Amino acid sequence: MTLDIQKIRADFPVLDQQVNGSPLIYFDNAATTQKPKSVIDALSHYYASDNANIHRGIHALAERATTAFELTRTKIKEFINAPSSDQIILTAGTTGSINLVAQTFGRANFSKGDKILISNLEHHSNIVPWQMIAEEKGAIIEVIPVDERGVLDLVAYRNLLDASVKLVALNHVSNAIGTINPIAEMIQLAHAHGAKVMIDGAQSIAHLDIDVQALDIDFFAFSAHKLFGPTGVGVLFGKRELLESMPPYQGGGEMIKEVSFEGTTYNELPYKFEAGTPNIADVIAFSAAIDYVNALSKEALFTQELALLAYATEQLSTIPGLRIIGTAPEKIAVISFVMDGIHPQDLGVLLDKFGIAIRTGHHCVQPLMKRFGLPGTCRASFAFYNTFEEIDLFVKALRRSINMLQ
Amino acid sequence: MTQSIQETQEELIEEFGLFDDWADKYEYLIDLGKKLPSLSEELKTEENVIKGCQSRVWLHAKKQGDQIIFEADSEAVIVKGLISMLIRVLSNHTAEEIMKADLYFIDQIGMSQHLAQTRSNGLLSMVKQMKNYALAFSAK
């Protein structure tokens, strides 16, 4: 299946606009993806026609809203091939999902001297929650190093694994430099040592096929907004026996079975972890994003993205003084780069004047930037709706910006 | 006698009025950044760093007579250009004048986007920090 990119672009209203007098070129997809019209419509349809609180009401609106809400859960289950819908916990985002695991699984399972392995590629949101619980429990965080290309050192990883490792928390794909980590192998190794594995899938969910069963993942987290869905919705998948053994996270409505002043019994999965009224509208609209991706061929989408990556890498390599940061053989369509003698922020400011949106800075991975000895990088990240022409315009604008700054 | 804060602002507005496209404007700004003398290394201290900027920005202030003198530097040249203008407008004025200053020139020269309250934009923090220095000196 070949993609009709112009037809696809027409599905994303935001792409059709001028920024600072030029057509918008949106290359900040690793930060958040744009939304197809069907998602925007679903959101507005929900508020216009079905708005009600879910799970409790017995009236028609509550029933419609509940059905639509639970339908999203089923679609998520299918999208990542989870065994059952009740293993799909809806949260506020990847960060929320990771904190949930840290505060429940971590609280129940970490004790003094236990180890948590993370990697040098991690986003702050897959570092700080572990530091918080580690400090509380006296657990120790150890870091899997990366090499110059931004590839994890698997020999070091093997050496770090021992019986004291309780959890390995790892991103599937690096947000800053695009490295795809060999999680299948790493999960196997962790399991061989009795450690559980939490995968931060924020950057992989829209760009790789995810099968949580085939990969034997214990916990998998991602955000809807990086999969063309609304902000404020996150997913946590967990293995049933883990989720069942974990204490609840936040207390409140929805998560209880019975409450008395003498004590409370908790609800079943997934509701045990979903206290309070959830983000109903955005969860329901997320369903349309999953439908959108499913209706196109995932394989065709990924092929398009990799072609964009290859082309952009080739074009950027022709600029003297430009250095690509992150040259792992397995990457998604993210290019981080720095330019000799020019601060990334200056390039970001000028590219914006050309209507081009990239990200500059430390990308919430300060330890990785430190590893490369950089204050930050410029990052262009692509989605399937980007085009080769946009890359040409980007490279042209970049050359012009560099000229202005040198 | 030095010119007033308002006079310098008018001067800048006039200078930027000569440019009809953004690229010329930014080239001028970059040029201002390059021409601003670097801050000596011993003043690039953690204390002088302005928090909340994507690039590191250092601001140093001292009092000479009843006037406050600002010196500043940044890793990013556009930011340095912006600071250079702030220094031109605010430096060598009294604490009271600095605290009272309404910096309307930023908007008039089309640079108000740099005042946006995102973490990547330091201009707002720079202005705030300059006024904080003025406040601190006037309290002494």
Side-chain angles (χ1 to χ4, degrees), chain B residues 30-95:
Chain B
I30 289 164
D31 202 43
L32 288 178
K34 285 181 178 166
K35 281 182 185 150
L36 183 73
S38 296
L39 203 59
S40 60
E41 286 304 314
E42 68 264 21
L43 289 178
K44 288 185 181 175
T45 58
E46 204 44 46
E47 262 183 10
N48 283 338
V49 168
I50 297 179
K51 302 280 183 286
C53 306
Q54 198 180 90
S55 51
R56 276 195 295 175
V57 182
W58 298 268
L59 176 68
H60 176 71
K62 61 183 177 198
K63 209 169 174 190
Q64 217 164 68
D66 64 347
Q67 296 191 333
I68 296 173
I69 317 282
F70 291 111
E71 289 176 278
D73 205 343
S74 168
E75 299 168 326
V77 71
I78 293 174
V79 172
K80 216 172 152 180
L82 294 168
I83 318 176
S84 160
M85 293 192 296
L86 289 180
I87 290 180
R88 190 165 141 198
V89 172
L90 294 179
S91 199
N92 293 92
H93 286 282
T94 64

Side-chain angles (χ1 to χ4, degrees), chain A residues 34-322:
Chain A
Q34 297 302 345
K35 321 304 171 200
K37 190 160 182 304
S38 56
V39 170
I40 302 164
D41 288 347
L43 200 52
S44 132
H45 173 83
Y46 167 76
Y47 280 125
S49 320
D50 298 338
N51 178 49
N53 209 334
I54 53 168
H55 295 142
R56 297 287 166 274
I58 49 157
H59 52 80
L61 262 56
E63 224 171 274
R64 288 209 297 266
T66 305
T67 306
F69 184 89
E70 291 302 328
L71 180 63
T72 301
R73 203 191 299 274
T74 308
K75 286 183 186 171
I76 295 168
K77 167 207 147 217
E78 284 159 9
F79 197 76
I80 60 171
N81 192 34
S84 145
S85 296
D86 58 8
Q87 287 166 263
I88 303 296
I89 320 287
L90 293 162
T91 66
T94 305
T95 302
S97 300
I98 296 172
N99 276 283
L100 191 159
V101 176
Q103 291 300 321
T104 59
F105 174 84
R107 173 148 300 150
N109 291 284
F110 298 159
S111 18
K112 197 168 163 44
D114 282 347
K115 285 182 192 152
I116 306 160
L117 292 192
I118 60 174
S119 90
N120 202 166
L121 290 172
E122 300 314 313
H123 189 280
H124 296 163
S125 63
N126 202 23
I127 301 175
V128 183
W130 305 116
Q131 288 175 329
M132 288 164 67
I133 190 73
E135 190 177 3
E136 196 182 313
K137 291 288 182 174
I140 300 156
I141 291 175
E142 293 200 343
V143 181
I144 310 159
V146 286
D147 68 16
E148 279 303 315
R149 301 167 301 164
V151 175
L152 289 181
D153 179 346
L154 290 192
V155 175
Y157 175 56
R158 281 169 193 270
N159 290 335
L160 285 167
L161 278 171
D162 61 39
S164 66
V165 177
K166 287 280 147 47
L167 184 84
V168 178
L170 191 65
N171 60 23
H172 193 176
V173 166
S174 152
N175 69 305
I177 59 175
T179 308
I180 302 172
N181 291 318
I183 60 165
E185 186 187 346
M186 295 180 79
I187 290 168
Q188 252 185 8
L189 285 165
H191 286 169
H193 287 85
K196 304 297 179 202
V197 182
M198 160 126 222
I199 298 295
D200 166 0
Q203 296 295 334
S204 63
I205 191 69
H207 310 287
L208 296 172
D209 240 327
I210 308 294
D211 182 331
V212 292
Q213 293 187 78
L215 289 162
D216 199 18
I217 299 177
D218 299 304
F219 297 107
F220 186 80
F222 68 92
S223 300
H225 77 94
K226 295 201 202 268
L227 184 61
F228 316 101
T231 51
V233 177
V235 172
L236 171 67
F237 157 81
K239 280 189 182 159
R240 177 178 299 282
E241 65 273 19
L242 294 172
L243 293 177
E244 276 175 351
S245 70
M246 279 150 50
Y249 181 35
Q250 290 170 325
E254 289 267 352
M255 54 79 71
I256 50 90
K257 196 175 269 168
E258 272 179 71
V259 176
S260 71
F261 288 116
E262 287 69 47
T264 293
T265 52
Y266 301 119
N267 207 335
E268 289 163 0
L269 291 177
Y271 309 111
K272 176 171 115 179
F273 295 109
E274 294 180 359
T277 296
N279 185 353
I280 304 168
D282 291 303
V283 167
I284 289 174
F286 181 35
S287 182
I290 297 175
D291 290 344
Y292 187 87
V293 174
N294 284 338
L296 298 165
S297 147
K298 266 200 216 170
E299 202 190 318
L301 300 184
F302 302 159
T303 308
Q304 161 77 0
E305 290 177 356
L306 289 180
L308 291 168
L309 174 69
Y311 185 65
T313 306
E314 180 194 302
Q315 292 301 306
L316 287 179
S317 305
T318 64
I319 298 177
L322 185 143

